[in-house]
Each structure stands twice: as C-alpha cells, then as structure tokens.
Amino acid sequence: MSPRSPREISVLVPPDLAPLYPDDPSRIGPYLVLGRLGQGSSGTVYAAVDTSSSNADDRLVAVKVLRSPELDVPDAYPELTRRLRNLSMVEPERVVVPLTFDADAEPPWLAMPYLAGERLSHYVTKRGGLGIGKLIALATGLAEGLSALHSRGVAHGSLRPSGILLGSDGPHIMECAIAADSERLRGSGATWLSPERYRGGAATPTADVFAWGAVVAFAGTGRLPFGPGEPEEISQRVASGSFELDGLPKGLRPVVSRALDPNPDLRPSLREVIGAVIAVWQTENAEDGAPSPGDREEINRILEREWHGVEPPARVPEVIRLEGRMSNRRPTRTLFMVGTAAMATVLIGGGIWGLTHLLGGGTEAGPVSDESEEELEEQESAKEEEEEPLTLTVRFDPSEQEEPEPGVEERSWIYTPVTREGEIPRNQGIPSHDAWSEQWEEDGEPGEAIILPDAEVLCARFCAAPEHVFLDEEGRGTWELTGNDFVDYLSWGPVMIVEITFAEEAEGDEPREVVQVTELFAD
C-alpha cells in the first residue's frame, strides 16, 4: 500500500452530511468546508476541517456563518464581539461555546466543537413526552447551562426546543451567539417568549427562566404549554398565565408554574430551580438511597446515565486532500482538485484549439464562423431551457407512493409539480390539507426524488402540533425538522404542498437529491 500524501488527512464525518450549495464558501477563516450541518434564522452551520489538528477525532468542527437582521444596526458588531468573547469563557459542559471567532469578518463567523445528537423538538415530536428520569436530567442540565451563561453576563434570549441538542451525555444549549430580536420571534417563537420579551423587552436571565419553564413543560407533556393558535392568542395566554401542565409529573408542576409566572419578579432564580428539581428527583428515588443534595457530582453522574441510550450515528472516515478549492459536493473519496483546476485553465485559455488537442485531435481546427457561434449559442440556450430548475413547488401525496423494495434503504418519493394563481391567502381560516391541495393545479409530469436524511425542512402544519400553523408572512413553514423527520411523516401523513430544492442535476435517469423542503400553507 502506498504511503498517504502529506497533503492528505483523514477526517471522521457524519454519514448523512448534506452537500454544499453552489454559492457556499470553500473556506471559512482557517477551516476547510466539507458540507452543510443545518441552517437557522441566524445563519448557516457547516462541517469543516481543522487542518492543524493531529487527531482525526478532533479535526471536524462546526462553523457558523452569522447572517441575521440583528446585525444590521450600527452598533451590532461591537456588541457581537463582546458577546462572543464572553460566550467563549462559558463552562462548555451544557452550552455550545466558540472555539474561535471573527466578528469583523464579512460575514462574521464562529467555530464550535462538532457535537452529534438530536434536537429536543425532534425527539419529543417522534417519541412524545419524556419519562421522569430524562425529564429531570433535562430540566437540571438546562438550568445549569443557563446559569453558566448568566455567570458570564450572557442571557440567551431565545431558548426553545429546536435549539437544544440531545446527545449521549445530555442536553447542550445552542444558538447562543445572537440574542434574537423579540419581534422576529413572535411568530413561531411566541410559546417560548415571556410577556416582557413579547412586548419588545431585552433578553434577561428572568426571561430565560420563563423559557426554561416552557421548554420543560413541552418536554414533559409533548404539548405546547399555552396551547395552539395564532401568536397573538398565545401571547394573551402567556400574559395571563393561562398554561396547561396536565401530564407533567406532579412534583415538577410547582417550580414550572413559578417559572411561567407573567411577573418576572415572581419567577424563581436558577439556583432555586435546580434545588427544586433535585428535590423531586430525590423524592422519586428515596428508596434507592439517593445521594444528598450537597453531593452534586454524584447526582450529575447518575442523571447523565439517562442519556446513554441516545446514541448518534457513528461517523465515517474520509480522506481529504488539502490542495486547491474544495468541491461544492461533500467529498466521498480523495479529491484531486489540482489536476482539475489545471485542466480547467487549459480549456479556458486554449479555447477550441486546446479542447481538440486535449481530446486527441490530430489536425488543427479551422476558424469558427460567426454563423457557427450563433448556432452554438442557440443550442446552449435551448439546452438551458430544457434543464429542470433546482427549486420546484410540488405535491407529495402518500397515496401515490410506491411500496419500498425489500432490502433497499435509499427510497425515492414521487412528486407532482404544481402551481396556483395569486398569493397564498392569510387570515381566512385554516383549510384541510386536501382542500388546500385542491387549490393547486398540476404543472408538469410526476418525478421521483431522494430526500436526504439531513435535508433542511421547514414545516407549516404536518409536524409537532397539528392544531397550530407555523407560518411566516409569505405562507411558508417555519418549524425546523430534518429530512428523516419529513420522510417519517410522508410515510403516513396528509397530502402536502411543498417547495423543494435539489442538490444538482442527477446523472442519467437517477432520482435527484432534495436538500431543502419548505411546506406552503394558508391560514
């Protein structure tokens, strides 16, 4: 076996890493970008390589490029620098903190440790409310994470289930780099916003305590604590303290109720929260000889065992070549970009003569007439018109899907392109999925697509709370899921109208790969 080139390194990457888009960066600061991990309201997160690391286990990092309306104000960048500096000093056990950052870059970015796991929102959506052991472990871990943030002068401001990652070692609080503006959170985030935040107040520790209570209530019951409805309706229930905790373990209801108090002065401190939750755990485990409240290290070790069954998929090794620009597709083998770049240079610089000789033509090519150039332009234009677009609005109907072939893991899904006249209606009542799909007319032949497991999905109604609609002003879904979650619902759920984005053209007759899905819906 020939020795590996010193310009090649091995990296352990997620097995379902999504490919890069054509306009994604190949490098961010000192990091070599490999693929997409996800996209949220404050930017895109990429999997990248720390080429300076000598350990294959530690080379993969998550780099987030920050793009957010909060950065459009004049004094945003000094505040961002201060916040990231303070965040980098936070105890990292329960909070995802920066390894490095550059707030002066355009756009600014931060690099974080890569953590594998599942978002709390997805976990509860698929499995329902947590059992008492996991719930207490979650409640304690989140309170400790928020306490660590507050000790460094950082209030989270937008804690929600989709921003909490569950791993085999417990919960990790994400999305800490920017305190989201309350106006931007009032839509899909109304359930997690305290009354003072909903009215435009700043992110504060007491507002984080409120969000803690709402998240724990959701995690323990599998339901939204203030019920479904429009953001204005939810905010009125929040302001009046009209929450529903049926199904939450009785021992936790007093401290969660206090955390959800509309008056911030009446909410408990995080120290009180942790003490109250640990007391519930001791009561539940009194017969098993639970350690005293003072023995926190032992208690934490016991609670951490609750997450041992939450195992992320094992990463797979890939060999990455360091020279040249990375491809916009995630590498699945060694990349020889230097030779490719050299060939591209020859082709561009040498024109048709160079192309003829590279392909082995033995005679010189004669001059090309103006008529030939016009014909080539027309052919190229016709070819572009024939190519399918990267983004389509389509209908997915579970009744039209074919049974998967036995033993075949990668399943394709049938879709039909659709269109409708006019903008999506708003504030006219919520139609059934069938009634909504009937408003769309077929606009092309059915096709087949493969939905990547880590595709970015924004759903409107088919996800966690069917009674509620998660929409922005344009009638597009805002609830974040993954391709795996979407496929789960597609296996049995209702007819859906969605906008899908393909990775690129498929080779031959193979189905195209979907990297993004956004449900379109009306209310």
Side-chain angles (χ1 to χ4, degrees), residues 225-454:
F226 295 96
E230 292 296 320
E232 294 77 11
E233 297 176 286
I234 295 173
S235 69
Q236 291 175 5
R237 296 180 202 134
V238 169
S240 63
S242 301
F243 47 81
E244 178 60 65
L245 300 182
D246 285 351
L248 192 70
K250 290 184 178 180
L252 289 175
R253 292 181 194 177
V255 67
V256 172
S257 296
R258 290 181 59 202
L260 296 177
D261 197 296
N263 186 345
D265 295 332
L266 298 180
R267 294 172 200 151
S269 67
L270 287 171
R271 184 175 181 179
E272 291 178 272
V273 164
I274 294 171
V277 175
I278 292 298
V280 174
W281 178 80
Q282 286 185 301
T283 300
E284 292 285 332
N285 295 273
E287 296 181 0
D288 298 331
S292 66
D295 194 355
R296 288 302 307 281
E297 289 188 8
E298 177 62 20
I299 292 174
N300 286 343
R301 280 195 295 269
I302 294 173
L303 289 175
E304 193 171 296
R305 296 173 192 165
E306 293 288 340
W307 306 106
H308 287 180
V310 184
E311 288 293 339
R315 288 190 278 165
V316 296
E318 286 190 359
V319 177
I320 307 300
R321 190 158 188 168
L322 302 182
E323 297 99 325
R325 176 181 172 84
M326 293 295 296
S327 165
N328 277 336
R329 284 185 61 84
R330 179 173 65 88
T332 55
R333 57 185 180 277
T334 304
L335 300 177
F336 298 98
M337 297 306 297
V338 174
T340 304
M343 180 174 285
T345 303
V346 173
L347 290 175
I348 295 171
I352 294 178
W353 181 90
L355 177 62
T356 303
H357 283 266
L358 279 173
L359 297 179
T363 59
E364 288 192 16
V368 180
S369 68
D370 292 340
E371 182 179 358
S372 298
E373 289 182 359
E374 291 177 2
E375 290 176 354
L376 287 174
E377 289 177 1
E378 290 176 0
Q379 292 173 6
E380 186 66 27
S381 176
K383 181 179 178 182
E384 289 178 358
E385 290 178 1
E386 291 175 1
E387 291 179 351
E388 292 187 51
L390 286 180
T391 300
L392 284 176
T393 300
V394 304
R395 180 186 70 222
F396 278 112
D397 187 342
S399 67
E400 296 175 351
Q401 306 305 321
E402 298 177 353
E403 289 295 324
E405 297 181 19
V408 176
E409 295 183 2
E410 194 173 61
R411 177 181 179 181
S412 60
W413 298 88
I414 298 172
Y415 65 83
T416 302
V418 294
T419 187
R420 72 186 303 277
E421 294 183 2
E423 297 181 354
I424 293 179
R426 300 301 308 274
N427 303 314
Q428 297 183 13
I430 300 176
S432 68
H433 281 84
D434 288 334
W436 172 238
S437 67
E438 289 174 359
Q439 297 185 28
W440 296 76
E441 297 180 359
E442 294 187 7
D443 189 34
E445 294 298 319
E448 292 187 33
I450 293 172
I451 299 168
L452 296 179
D454 200 35

Side-chain angles (χ1 to χ4, degrees), residues 82-136:
R82 183 196 69 80
R83 186 176 175 93
L84 291 178
R85 185 181 298 118
N86 291 346
L87 186 59
S88 66
M89 295 186 289
V90 170
E91 171 60 44
E93 185 177 4
R94 293 287 166 237
V95 181
V96 181
V97 302
L99 297 169
T100 56
F101 63 87
D102 188 349
D104 296 322
E106 181 55 44
W109 58 267
L110 65 152
M112 303 163 285
Y114 170 78
L115 297 176
E118 186 173 9
R119 294 175 186 265
L120 177 64
S121 55
H122 303 165
Y123 192 92
V124 173
T125 296
K126 291 189 291 186
R127 297 171 177 82
L130 303 181
I132 183 65
K134 277 188 172 59
L135 184 59
I136 288 177

Side-chain angles (χ1 to χ4, degrees), residues 121-122 124-126 218 222-224 459-468 470 479 481 489:
S121 55
H122 303 165
V124 173
T125 296
K126 291 189 291 186
F218 167 76
R223 302 188 310 276
L224 300 175
C459 67
R461 198 185 180 201
F462 70 89
C463 53
E467 301 86 359
H468 183 49
F470 298 90
W479 187 277
L481 295 177
Y489 288 105

